[in-house]
Amino acid sequence: MSEKKKIGFYWTGSCGGCQVSILDIDEMLLDVAEQAEIVFWPCAMDPKYEDVKAMDENEIDIMFINGAIRLDENKEMVELLREKTKEVVSYGSCACNGGVFGLGNLSSKDELLEKGYTNKTTDQGPFPQKITEVEEGELELAEMLDHIKPLDEHIDVEYYLPGCPPLPTQLEDALPALLDDEIEVEERDLITDKSVCDPCPMEREEKEIERLIPIQEATDIDPDECLLDQGILCMGPATAGMCEAPCTEVGHPCVGCNGPVKGVEDQGSRMASALASVMGIEGEENKTEEEVMETMNSVRDPTGSFYMFSLPSSIMQFRRDDIDE
Amino acid sequence: MSLIDLTSMAEPDEEEQEKIEETLEGLKEDIPDLCYQCGKCTSGCEAFILLELEPHSIMGKSKAGFIDELVNSDEIWTCMQCFKCQERCPQDLSPVRVIFALKNLAVAAGKEIPSGYQKMLQSVLGNGLIQQPKEVLNRANETRKREDLDLPPVPEPEDMDKVQQILMKATQEKLR
Amino acid sequence: MKELGLYLGCVIPTEQYGYEMSIREVLPKFDIELVDLEESTCCGAPLRNVNMFTTMYLSARNMALCEKKGIDLYAPCPICHLGLTEAKESLEENPELKDKINSKLEEEDLQYEGSTELYHTLDLLHDEIGLDEIEDQVEEPLDDLTFAAHYGCNTIRPNDLDRPDDSENPQKLEELMETIGIGTEDYPEKLDCCGGQVISDHNESALTKAGEKIEAVQDQGFDGLSTICPWGHRMLDSKQDSAADTIGESLDLPVMYYIQLLGVAMGIEQSRLGLELNLSPVDNLEAIESIEEAE
Amino acid sequence: MSGIGVFICHCGSNIAGTVDVDELTEYASDLNGVTFATNYKYMCSDPGQELIKDSVEEQDLDSVVVAACSPRMHEETFQAVVEDAGLNPYRFQMANIREQCSWVHSDDMEKATEKAKHLVEMSVEKSRLSEDLEKTEVDVNSDALVIGGGIAGIQSALDLADQGKKVYLVEREPSIGGKMAQLDKTFPTLDCSSCILTPKMTDVARNPNIELLTYSEVEEVDGSVGDFEVKVKKKATYVDWDKCTACGDCAEACRRSGNVEDEFNEGLDNRGAIYTPFPQAVPAAYTIDSEVCISLEYDGTCTSCREVCELDAIDLDDEDEIVELNVGSIIVATGYDLMDPEKIYEYGYGKSKDIITNLELERIIDASGPTDGEIHRLSDGEDVESVTFILCVGSRDEELQSYCCRIGCMGALKHVHLLRDHLDEDVDINICYTDIRSFGKGYEEFYRRTRDLDVNFVRGRPSEVNVQEEKVELNVFDTTMDKLLQVESDLVVLVPALLPSEGTEELSRQLRITRSSDGFLQEAHPKLRPMDTFTNGIFIAGCCQGPKDIPDSVSQASGAAAKASTILSKDKLQSEATIASIDDDICSGCKMCISVCPYDAIEYNEEDEVAEITDVLCMGCGSCASLCPTGAIEHKGFKDEMLEAMIDAGLTEEEG
């Protein structure tokens, strides 16, 4: 029997859901422990920066990294882990596509700090300082980066496993394949070719959407009919379908957390152009400009809707006037 | 515009024309530009035979911009407000509303307006109604007042002065 | 019991007392409680000619008074009804104008929301109360009479402003008359104007219009003419003599508010319906008591 | 080693005068994948074409780029050259360095040359990724279906039959002839309508290539161009048409004779339950109207017609029959209906018998019509002293039909001539018009002649029409004289708007063709493809596409027949090669592509839950490929990689 693989899990800017998703594989964790040795897992163990630094190059076989790279400390740490790891898995939507945090790219760093600290409605706490003097000495805070970029723009990544968080089933499928050298896994093999529509059980018609209705204003939703057909913006058609459509199945539109299907670069623009093609298509040749605008304006918060999880990996990446390079 | 009316040497006044359009847009009505002068409005106009009101020609002149002529005319004050022209217009236009807008322009410009309307306006400003309760006659030529007929007093704002003030200011306002 | 704000406008409470009396007498019999709007003023419609904004303001003010009481509004005058409807629809479509008007109403502690439903006599009787209910209350059907209907322009036009009846082929008044036994039929001049709106400045023309309509109805052999509009009634009844003089014909056509006819058919004491105030020869009709009898 | 050959055309001085072709050739020869580059004066000329062919062989080229004019001009030329040289025609790319470069940048040779380099490089990049593409072929059924047996349908059917095609002509009434059969005369020549129509109708009956299916309706249409499968319901006529000689004995015997409103005469007189629409009907046979026949409708025991029929043609047990047809192309010619003038209540239609439509007048004037051509007041049979026409009844009306009916003005002018022939000369004729539109050949001349017939042309629309005791009265304001005229008439003729015939909406759904906002069937292009629909193989003719007069209907009908013939004359149809294709492994079945396809080429496969493209229907417009949210649809010859490579090449800055 070959030597046990050494694996690790690391989180950067994150809600923690991805880490919980690892625990969610339940007993399988024991199987994993049999096949692999978990050498690094800040969530469960207490490794120090110095310990990692002391590791040999490529000492870790597989490193799962989730979360957004929001701080310089995140960046420094993932760069260090890259040195020590053979294969890095970009785990979860934040690492793969920037995730919800990526919507921060619509504001500049200063605006974000101002909103978060100076102009907040609750207590006016102290504005974060790089260095703070305390009795014990100086405390140094990590610096916020200007923008969020997906993990693969900071370091090379071998595999992508998106999801917010990835479902236990996804990890259960992925882990054995990654741990077994016999099985060949391509970079994006853990993402499906098909979209959420494929597993989605709702009845679909040809799309003739007159205008979109915000879900909270929609009344009389037919539980069996495609939400998009009913005028509710569902990102299903442009979203990778590894999740097996649990949201639409219970009547909630897909918000696009898995990011684009395999082979598609920009989830939001795909969805926007698809929707633009079918919206108001009935009698469109005779529509006045006002009527067309009315249809268009029914798309509320287009960026937030189309790019809720993938703005940093899109071709837009961030607000144009904020490009500082 | 390049039109000149050779009978009066008047030129179209686009500014005044826009004012009509503004008012009509405030009422969500179509502007007169789309009128194709079929004359259906005038064919059925209640005021044409007696008072020579020609809604189609008002539409035509408004469309061309000869607003001054209309605002100064007596014609606009002959409309019986029966709304037949609007109802029957095959182009979904409303001559009667164009006429209202013209009358508003005339008032705003301080033109002399017919005494009946003048009186009505003053009465509304004075006590809220277009006229005061009257003593009327019955068929036997006897006079009757509200009180005689067991009718309650006519409604009137408690603070008429205040309403008056608000009304005075309101008459200076425009729809848009 | 349905409560309705009774909004009389200008002409009814200052001279068309017969309409007001019969309304106050008849409607409560149909379980309708009429609530007076003490602070009300002119609806503003006559001022459309002078300043459209003031028109909207006055309409909104009167509706706001009714809203304050939390009840729907009944305007027996079609001109008021049209003015109020127009204001209601305009303000709904134009929130900016609504805000502007509300800022003025605030000075009187009023607020216009747009929640009041509007009724006119025609739809109130025909659609709300209903023909069956009316038929139930008829005691003496007026079987021997044939009347023509006069709707009044603003009752039916313009139809884009939700009128009580169809603009080209209104039939509700006919159906109401038939319900109380009166025979009726269409006549070519049915939709013609009474001239009332220009009486103040074009007296003679207005009276000619009225006279011609009365003459046409009379010539076609109708026993009388039924109205639901105070302006029309004023021209066709109150001023029938002057109209006759103006066109040089002798006119003696009984003209009655429909609601007066209804009251008579219901057996209500005729003096309570203000019938003495109809100046046209209504006592030519067998069913109508002459003034002497009434006394 | 094989590679790409680049051929740069001078186009005389058209290109060479602005673009430095030598520098361009040198640049091209250094591009990635290019093994040969040359230039020549006229690449499209014979020697130019030979140059390409020879080079393919000599230089062992596997793809060819020609930098010359627009592909619209010569793409097919060069594709054929490349094919001749033994390559797949889709291994050819064209860079447009004339229209897009030399012509628009003629003042700056340096920059024009620079742009030409980019354009050539883009084509080379696309060429590097190009693949062999094959056109798919389908067999063509050479039979045709014409729906609608009015003049347009008749013309289309005859044209196709004359070309030797088998034609099925489906008509829902018992006889062909349509609206034209109801007309007395036609403008502007005043030809007798039936004199020119009847011969055509009998031609149809006699033509061995035409199979006439009257009293029939299309039930279902499936398949696509070249191979439509159509189900037609032949309604039961209860008369054996092979036996019936139209002797008419049955009609006389019918107990409902004279009790059923006669549609052909616009309800102005009556027929029986067994009837033929009009004497010259084709086929010449009787039909029992099952809705009014005493036996059929009321399950009575009336056998009057059967008893008198010597030929034993009556069959009361007849049943509807479904006929299945296979055709290669379909022409729709379903015509129009008049708008119900009661929609304009104020014009009083229905309030008096003396207020009629122009089609009713047509029947009245017709010598074989309900009044044998005698014109009297319909209310009381009194003489007519005054006739008034109201044009644009419901036409050019924003509440009803916003379009012009195109035949109302001319029709009324024609009626003036006919009335003048039939009535005393002192009869008043008034025409209330908004604009007289006499746009066709000979029409204005006809209008001028009509003006000379003592007609009152009143420029204005009446507001309402009132029925007085004797006469019908209207007021109309003449805007040319500024006078309000009171007009008393014995007949008021309304000229109503034209609507697509009843059932057009349903038929358009069955055929999967689109309608424009006015409800008429939509042509593929208003100017350049007026008889095509967006569905390949289906054409439209006559008033189903929009209001038309007879000459226009007939022209369009012949045009549609010619169009259909181009399909029917082929043994096989080749589909475009540069069409969309769907990858089953990626398609997730969201159905978005189906709604955008203007050619109805995409269908949903319920079993595999994926969308599928019918190759012959796809026109390669690219709408679906650009929309597909999962990238499952690829546009052959324009794959994403190709376009990306072209964009990259187009955006490269020149080194140095």
Side-chain angles (χ1 to χ4, degrees):
Chain A
M1 195 185 133
S2 63
E3 215 180 308
K4 272 190 179 182
K5 294 248 169 145
K6 290 181 177 166
I7 65 171
F9 301 99
Y10 186 66
W11 60 354
T12 59
S14 152
C15 67
C18 284
Q19 292 290 316
V20 176
S21 79
I22 297 165
L23 295 174
D24 252 4
I25 62 172
D26 301 334
E27 304 87 75
M28 195 182 174
L29 211 49
L30 300 175
D31 298 342
V32 174
E34 239 170 61
Q35 288 180 54
E37 182 189 347
I38 302 175
V39 295
F40 180 72
W41 192 4
C43 184
M45 304 143 65
D46 188 20
K48 299 286 183 254
Y49 181 70
E50 298 305 324
D51 300 337
V52 184
K53 231 177 159 184
M55 284 182 180
D56 289 340
E57 202 172 296
N58 284 351
E59 189 177 322
I60 307 174
D61 289 292
I62 305 173
M63 188 71 219
F64 290 80
I65 299 175
N66 72 269
I69 312 299
R70 179 75 275 185
L71 306 171
D72 59 355
E73 184 257 344
N74 300 145
K75 186 167 182 277
E76 192 180 336
M77 192 64 194
V78 297
E79 281 166 355
L80 179 65
L81 284 170
R82 176 72 263 188
E83 273 176 35
K84 310 295 179 190
T85 308
K86 279 191 202 141
E87 292 180 329
V88 169
V89 180
S90 184
Y91 187 73
S93 290
C94 294
C96 292
N97 299 311
V100 169
F101 297 91
L103 288 176
N105 286 0
L106 295 172
S107 309
S108 70
K109 177 179 157 187
D110 290 343
E111 283 167 351
L112 289 174
L113 287 170
E114 215 165 278
K115 175 97 180 166
Y117 293 94
T118 314
N119 296 333
K120 63 178 184 161
T121 45
T122 51
D123 277 359
Q124 298 282 323
F127 196 84
Q129 305 294 317
K130 180 87 180 157
I131 307 287
T132 310
E133 302 276 352
V134 289
E135 266 178 45
E136 291 83 358
E138 278 184 356
L139 284 181
E140 193 182 339
L141 262 188
E143 181 84 26
M144 197 163 137
L145 298 175
D146 286 328
H147 298 108
I148 288 181
K149 294 178 187 170
L151 181 61
D152 63 4
E153 289 204 27
H154 291 287
I155 59 170
D156 288 338
V157 164
E158 275 74 20
Y159 306 110
Y160 296 84
L161 183 50
C164 185
L167 296 177
T169 47
Q170 279 174 267
L171 198 55
E172 282 164 23
D173 290 343
L175 269 173
L178 293 174
L179 290 173
D180 189 340
D181 286 336
E182 303 292 302
I183 303 173
E184 210 169 296
V185 184
E186 292 277 325
E187 212 180 47
R188 292 189 189 261
D189 275 359
L190 304 174
I191 305 174
T192 49
D193 280 320
K194 297 218 177 200
S195 74
V196 174
C197 291
D198 185 56
C200 177
M202 311 287 255
E203 284 282 330
R204 281 184 290 279
E205 297 292 330
E206 288 178 34
K207 302 284 177 294
E208 278 175 7
I209 305 161
E210 194 41 49
R211 58 174 54 77
L212 293 182
I213 314 156
I215 177 88
Q216 57 277 23
E217 287 170 26
T219 48
D220 303 329
I221 297 179
D222 182 337
D224 301 321
E225 196 193 328
C226 170
L227 291 163
L228 205 48
D229 286 351
Q230 300 185 56
I232 293 158
L233 178 54
C234 173
M235 284 291 287
T239 304
M242 298 80 82
C243 56
E244 299 293 319
C247 303
T248 55
E249 200 174 343
V250 296
H252 193 282
C254 172
V255 289
C257 74
N258 280 337
V261 297
K262 187 164 142 188
V264 167
E265 260 182 59
D266 192 310
Q267 180 189 19
S269 70
R270 278 284 177 164
M271 188 63 197
S273 78
L275 203 59
S277 304
V278 297
M279 263 177 76
I281 195 168
E282 181 76 12
E284 67 178 347
E285 54 284 346
N286 299 307
K287 285 202 165 131
T288 62
E289 200 172 326
E290 286 82 40
E291 285 167 328
V292 173
M293 283 314 290
E294 204 190 316
T295 309
M296 304 250 289
N297 289 336
S298 75
V299 184
R300 306 246 182 109
D301 182 18
T303 324
S305 302
F306 295 131
Y307 289 106
M308 196 185 289
F309 294 88
S310 67
L311 186 62
S313 71
S314 79
I315 50 175
M316 297 207 289
Q317 292 195 316
F318 33 71
R319 210 168 69 186
R320 281 298 296 180
D321 61 4
D322 197 31
I323 293 177
D324 45 10
E325 287 146 310
Chain B
M1 253 193 247
S2 55
L3 304 176
I4 293 177
D5 171 9
L6 287 178
T7 52
S8 67
M9 295 311 285
E11 284 179 42
D13 188 337
E14 282 176 55
E15 214 173 287
E16 290 296 302
Q17 196 181 15
E18 267 166 35
K19 283 187 197 162
I20 297 184
E21 292 177 4
E22 267 177 29
T23 320
L24 293 170
E25 276 163 18
L27 291 161
K28 303 257 173 202
E29 292 294 332
D30 275 320
I31 48 178
D33 298 26
L34 299 169
C35 171
Y36 60 34
Q37 293 287 305
C38 70
K40 194 174 180 185
C41 47
T42 306
S43 289
C45 179
E46 295 276 5
F48 173 77
I49 297 177
L50 293 163
L51 296 162
E52 293 175 17
L53 174 62
E54 294 183 11
H56 80 281
S57 94
I58 289 182
M59 294 297 268
K61 286 171 191 163
S62 304
K63 188 172 142 180
F66 296 113
I67 311 297
D68 196 48
E69 178 188 333
L70 291 169
V71 167
N72 284 304
S73 74
D74 295 336
E75 191 183 1
I76 55 173
W77 298 98
T78 60
C79 170
M80 297 194 179
Q81 303 161 34
C82 73
F83 285 84
K84 222 183 241 179
C85 52
Q86 175 183 332
E87 205 55 56
R88 301 247 165 103
C89 176
Q91 292 297 296
D92 262 354
L93 306 175
S94 179
V96 56
R97 291 193 191 282
V98 173
I99 295 171
F100 280 138
L102 287 164
K103 286 190 269 198
N104 279 210
L105 276 188
V107 174
K111 308 277 181 211
E112 198 176 314
I113 61 174
S115 59
Y117 285 112
Q118 195 81 343
K119 238 164 61 190
M120 209 145 63
L121 179 62
Q122 275 160 4
S123 172
V124 174
L125 291 178
N127 54 57
L129 299 179
I130 61 170
Q131 62 187 16
Q132 280 299 293
K134 292 180 180 168
E135 278 182 10
V136 298
L137 296 173
N138 69 5
R139 278 198 305 289
N141 245 355
E142 299 152 347
T143 58
R144 292 282 187 268
K145 288 191 274 197
R146 283 185 71 86
E147 308 81 279
D148 307 335
L149 300 162
D150 277 353
L151 290 171
V154 171
E156 197 186 345
E158 211 169 307
D159 190 350
M160 191 59 219
D161 287 349
K162 194 174 194 177
V163 177
Q164 221 168 41
Q165 277 170 14
I166 302 170
L167 273 177
M168 288 305 285
K169 271 187 270 169
T171 55
Q172 305 306 312
E173 298 271 3
K174 281 189 253 166
L175 273 189
R176 288 167 61 108
Chain C
M1 175 76 72
K2 188 179 171 76
E3 276 184 276
L4 286 176
L6 177 62
Y7 175 72
L8 293 167
C10 296
V11 184
I12 299 172
T14 55
E15 61 166 278
Q16 290 298 313
Y17 304 136
Y19 198 10
E20 184 176 347
M21 288 168 77
S22 46
I23 285 168
R24 289 186 189 275
E25 205 60 41
V26 170
L27 289 178
K29 305 260 188 302
F30 291 102
D31 242 11
I32 285 178
E33 188 187 336
L34 299 167
V35 181
D36 283 304
L37 299 173
E38 300 88 0
E39 294 267 298
S40 64
T41 57
C42 166
C43 70
L47 300 180
R48 260 198 293 245
N49 300 298
V50 180
N51 180 290
M52 220 89 79
F53 182 85
T54 316
T55 305
M56 298 276 171
Y57 165 73
L58 280 170
S59 285
R61 183 183 177 280
N62 289 306
M63 287 189 278
L65 286 171
C66 203
E67 272 176 23
K68 211 173 178 181
K69 294 184 189 276
I71 50 179
D72 291 338
L73 185 149
Y74 163 45
C77 167
I79 295 183
C80 298
H81 186 271
L82 174 65
L84 298 173
T85 309
E86 176 168 21
K88 191 174 166 177
E89 293 195 9
S90 296
L91 296 184
E92 201 173 298
E93 280 173 14
N94 188 346
E96 243 170 77
L97 181 60
K98 188 170 162 180
D99 291 347
K100 204 162 141 187
I101 279 177
N102 265 327
S103 74
K104 295 219 178 292
L105 289 175
E106 233 165 60
E107 296 180 39
E108 279 192 275
D109 266 343
L110 288 170
Q111 168 85 13
Y112 172 78
E113 283 295 335
S115 56
T116 322
E117 288 292 320
L118 304 175
Y119 294 97
H120 173 254
T121 315
L122 191 61
D123 52 354
L124 184 62
L125 289 172
H126 186 279
D127 306 334
E128 276 299 303
I129 294 170
L131 300 178
D132 290 344
E133 181 73 17
I134 290 173
E135 200 172 358
D136 283 350
Q137 298 228 20
V138 171
E139 298 207 339
E140 295 161 58
L142 304 169
D143 285 336
D144 300 329
L145 297 177
T146 308
F147 263 58
H150 174 81
Y151 281 83
C153 298
N154 290 181
T155 316
I156 51 172
R157 286 186 296 259
N159 78 355
D160 63 341
L161 285 173
D162 197 19
R163 301 289 71 219
D165 206 346
D166 183 74
S167 57
E168 293 296 350
N169 185 22
Q171 289 296 334
K172 287 184 185 171
L173 184 50
E174 280 86 341
E175 286 169 23
L176 283 167
M177 286 199 281
E178 278 159 9
T179 305
I180 60 173
I182 299 177
T184 179
E185 60 183 51
D186 278 348
Y187 59 107
E189 297 79 7
K190 179 166 128 178
L191 302 187
D192 284 3
C193 177
C194 68
Q197 295 268 3
V198 290
I199 182 85
S200 54
D201 287 301
H202 302 283
N203 191 45
E204 196 167 315
S205 299
L207 289 170
T208 308
K209 280 242 90 114
E212 284 172 351
K213 182 153 188 170
I214 299 165
E215 191 192 5
V217 173
Q218 195 171 296
D219 288 352
Q220 285 168 68
F222 288 101
D223 298 320
L225 182 69
S226 168
T227 60
I228 42 169
C229 168
W231 292 73
H233 192 89
R234 179 201 211 192
M235 294 301 294
L236 302 168
D237 173 83
S238 317
K239 294 184 187 290
Q240 192 174 118
D241 280 351
S242 324
D245 291 347
T246 309
I247 64 167
E249 301 284 340
S250 89
L251 300 175
D252 54 357
L253 181 74
V255 177
M256 284 174 73
Y257 282 107
Y258 171 76
I259 202 158
Q260 290 181 314
L261 287 164
L262 174 59
V264 172
M266 286 165 68
I268 293 171
E269 200 184 317
Q270 292 193 2
S271 62
R272 307 290 301 162
L273 300 170
L275 283 173
E276 59 167 314
L277 302 172
N278 294 42
L279 298 185
S280 62
V282 293
D283 37 14
N284 289 357
L285 304 169
E286 209 173 302
I288 308 298
E289 298 161 5
S290 69
I291 291 181
E292 292 73 31
E293 281 171 55
E295 279 162 359
Chain D
M1 205 194 94
S2 60
I4 302 168
V6 179
F7 299 83
I8 294 156
C9 179
H10 298 191
C11 198
S13 63
N14 264 316
I15 292 171
T18 308
V19 173
D20 184 335
V21 286
D22 291 327
E23 193 185 324
L24 184 60
T25 311
E26 205 186 311
Y27 179 81
S29 62
D30 287 341
L31 290 171
N32 205 351
V34 175
T35 54
F36 177 75
T38 187
N39 60 63
Y40 184 71
K41 207 156 187 183
Y42 288 106
M43 211 52 93
C44 60
S45 65
D46 276 351
Q49 295 189 18
E50 285 305 316
L51 172 67
I52 297 174
K53 263 188 250 179
D54 294 346
S55 305
V56 169
E57 200 174 321
E58 285 159 20
Q59 306 291 330
D60 188 21
L61 302 176
D62 62 12
S63 338
V64 168
V65 171
V66 175
C69 52
S70 161
R72 285 222 111 163
M73 195 84 181
H74 277 312
E75 185 174 46
E76 284 180 13
T77 317
F78 292 120
Q79 275 184 335
V81 172
V82 169
E83 205 172 1
D84 267 3
L87 295 178
N88 181 287
Y90 295 95
R91 301 305 290 257
F92 160 77
Q93 307 298 333
M94 197 160 181
N96 181 355
I97 58 168
R98 191 178 75 174
E99 283 88 336
Q100 290 178 3
C101 193
S102 66
W103 280 2
V104 285
H105 304 296
S106 56
D107 53 345
D108 191 338
M109 187 146 183
E110 198 179 317
K111 282 194 174 160
T113 307
E114 200 54 45
K115 184 173 176 185
K117 286 178 185 172
H118 273 114
L119 292 170
V120 170
E121 190 174 352
M122 286 165 76
S123 288
V124 168
E125 280 300 310
K126 188 178 176 210
S127 191
R128 269 155 41 83
L129 295 164
S130 68
E131 299 162 327
D132 289 0
L133 298 179
E134 297 303 329
K135 294 184 173 180
T136 47
E137 286 193 333
V138 284
D139 291 335
V140 177
N141 182 319
S142 65
D143 299 348
L145 167 67
V146 177
I147 306 171
I151 183 58
I154 289 172
Q155 185 65 43
S156 289
L158 286 173
D159 280 4
L160 284 170
D162 286 350
Q163 293 179 50
K165 309 286 182 247
K166 163 102 186 171
V167 185
Y168 299 96
L169 177 56
V170 172
E171 164 61 48
R172 77 179 155 198
E173 300 299 327
S175 168
I176 55 171
K179 287 280 185 301
M180 190 176 168
Q182 288 179 278
L183 304 184
D184 178 47
K185 298 271 169 17
T186 56
F187 60 76
T189 46
L190 300 178
D191 293 312
C192 153
S193 187
S194 54
C195 304
I196 55 175
L197 177 66
T198 314
K200 282 199 173 274
M201 288 165 59
T202 47
D203 283 354
V204 168
R206 272 206 310 265
N207 197 312
N209 284 335
I210 299 178
E211 185 171 333
L212 197 49
L213 297 163
T214 58
Y215 214 47
S216 300
E217 282 178 54
V218 171
E219 285 271 288
E220 208 180 301
V221 181
D222 231 326
S224 55
V225 58
D227 184 26
F228 289 105
E229 296 145 29
V230 187
K231 286 189 183 143
V232 176
K233 182 168 86 179
K234 275 187 84 166
K235 291 178 279 187
T237 59
Y238 306 96
V239 176
D240 185 340
W241 282 3
D242 290 334
K243 293 182 185 165
C244 177
T245 57
C247 69
D249 290 348
C250 54
E252 268 174 46
C254 178
R255 277 167 56 195
R256 301 226 61 200
S257 181
N259 282 313
V260 184
E261 205 170 83
D262 183 344
E263 307 86 346
F264 185 78
N265 282 330
E266 294 290 301
L268 294 173
D269 72 352
N270 293 322
R271 56 171 172 85
I274 188 161
Y275 73 109
T276 182
F278 54 104
Q280 309 88 333
V282 169
Y286 276 70
T287 300
I288 298 182
D289 182 343
S290 62
E291 283 177 20
V292 295
C293 167
I294 294 172
S295 272
L296 294 168
E297 176 70 352
Y298 309 104
D299 198 24
T301 47
C302 173
T303 52
S304 307
C305 54
R306 217 163 55 190
E307 281 159 22
V308 297
C309 182
E310 289 176 7
L311 299 159
D312 198 18
I314 312 278
D315 171 16
L316 292 174
D317 297 324
D318 194 11
E319 282 180 355
D320 292 353
E321 184 193 343
I322 299 288
V323 184
E324 291 188 22
L325 309 175
N326 271 309
V327 295
S329 180
I330 298 173
I331 294 175
V332 187
T334 47
Y336 71 93
D337 282 336
L338 287 186
M339 185 198 82
D340 176 6
E342 270 194 57
K343 283 192 181 163
I344 298 203
Y345 188 85
E346 62 264 32
Y347 283 167
Y349 186 76
K351 283 191 214 165
S352 160
K353 285 185 170 178
D354 297 329
I355 303 176
I356 60 174
T357 67
N358 50 352
L359 201 50
E360 286 167 35
L361 180 64
E362 201 79 54
R363 296 310 307 142
I364 294 168
I365 294 176
D366 194 325
S368 61
T371 59
D372 299 327
E374 295 286 319
I375 303 166
H376 296 292
R377 277 212 314 234
L378 293 170
S379 54
D380 55 9
E382 291 292 315
D383 283 351
V384 168
E385 290 163 358
S386 160
V387 183
T388 302
F389 290 82
I390 304 178
L391 303 187
C392 302
V393 174
S395 300
R396 307 177 68 196
D397 187 315
E398 289 302 302
E399 297 249 310
L400 295 161
Q401 269 56 56
S402 54
Y403 48 88
C404 166
C405 78
R406 288 178 54 112
I407 55 171
C409 295
M410 291 305 295
L413 299 182
K414 172 189 77 180
H415 283 145
V416 171
H417 282 269
L418 304 182
L419 291 173
R420 278 280 169 259
D421 284 349
H422 284 69
L423 297 171
D424 290 345
E425 57 182 51
D426 58 352
V427 168
D428 274 342
I429 301 180
N430 312 298
I431 295 187
C432 305
Y433 70 98
T434 305
D435 301 289
I436 292 285
R437 296 185 165 177
S438 55
F439 49 86
K441 184 170 178 175
Y443 290 8
E444 186 61 28
E445 294 85 335
F446 186 70
Y447 177 29
R448 186 179 153 84
R449 287 205 303 279
T450 315
R451 283 218 166 238
D452 196 27
L453 292 177
D454 189 21
V455 188
N456 297 318
F457 280 94
V458 181
R459 202 279 175 194
R461 276 191 205 189
S463 181
E464 60 196 47
V465 175
N466 283 317
V467 182
Q468 303 290 2
E469 238 152 74
E470 273 193 11
K471 304 259 179 179
V472 181
E473 188 187 284
L474 57 87
N475 287 355
V476 55
F477 189 85
D478 187 318
T479 59
T480 62
M481 296 189 292
D482 257 18
K483 287 192 191 311
L484 185 70
L485 308 171
Q486 189 182 59
V487 185
E488 284 191 337
S489 313
D490 299 293
L491 280 181
V492 166
V493 184
L494 305 179
V495 179
L498 262 51
L499 301 175
S501 68
E502 203 191 323
T504 301
E505 188 180 354
E506 203 195 329
L507 186 67
S508 74
R509 260 200 302 272
Q510 286 170 339
L511 292 168
R512 283 167 291 157
I513 54 181
T514 44
R515 295 184 306 141
S516 37
S517 61
D518 50 22
F520 289 98
L521 298 177
Q522 180 149 37
E523 65 282 358
H525 188 283
K527 297 173 192 70
L528 303 177
R529 299 177 67 198
M531 35 240 171
D532 299 62
T533 63
F534 285 111
T535 305
N536 213 350
I538 301 182
F539 303 95
I540 45 180
C543 287
C544 65
Q545 182 252 347
K548 254 175 224 73
D549 53 20
I550 295 169
D552 283 2
S553 290
V554 171
S555 316
Q556 201 186 15
S558 284
K563 278 276 188 178
S565 192
T566 56
I567 290 172
L568 301 173
S569 304
K570 288 175 183 149
D571 291 336
K572 288 182 184 299
L573 274 183
Q574 280 191 328
S575 65
E576 281 293 320
T578 50
I579 58 171
S581 75
I582 298 181
D583 185 339
D584 286 359
D585 293 336
I586 303 179
C587 175
S588 311
C590 71
K591 293 191 179 177
M592 282 193 164
C593 51
I594 300 177
S595 10
V596 297
C597 179
Y599 306 101
D600 267 323
I602 311 181
E603 280 188 5
Y604 189 67
N605 179 332
E606 295 288 345
E607 202 175 311
D608 300 338
E609 299 185 327
V610 290
E612 276 176 358
I613 289 177
T614 309
D615 288 354
V616 275
L617 291 180
C618 177
M619 295 277 127
C621 72
S623 302
C624 58
S626 65
L627 158 149
C628 180
T630 57
I633 307 185
E634 181 185 278
H635 195 200
K636 290 183 200 162
F638 297 91
K639 295 198 292 189
D640 283 358
E641 305 94 271
M642 289 177 161
L643 302 182
E644 280 160 17
M646 287 177 80
I647 292 168
D648 287 345
L651 295 177
T652 45
E653 301 276 332
E654 218 206 344
E655 293 150 38

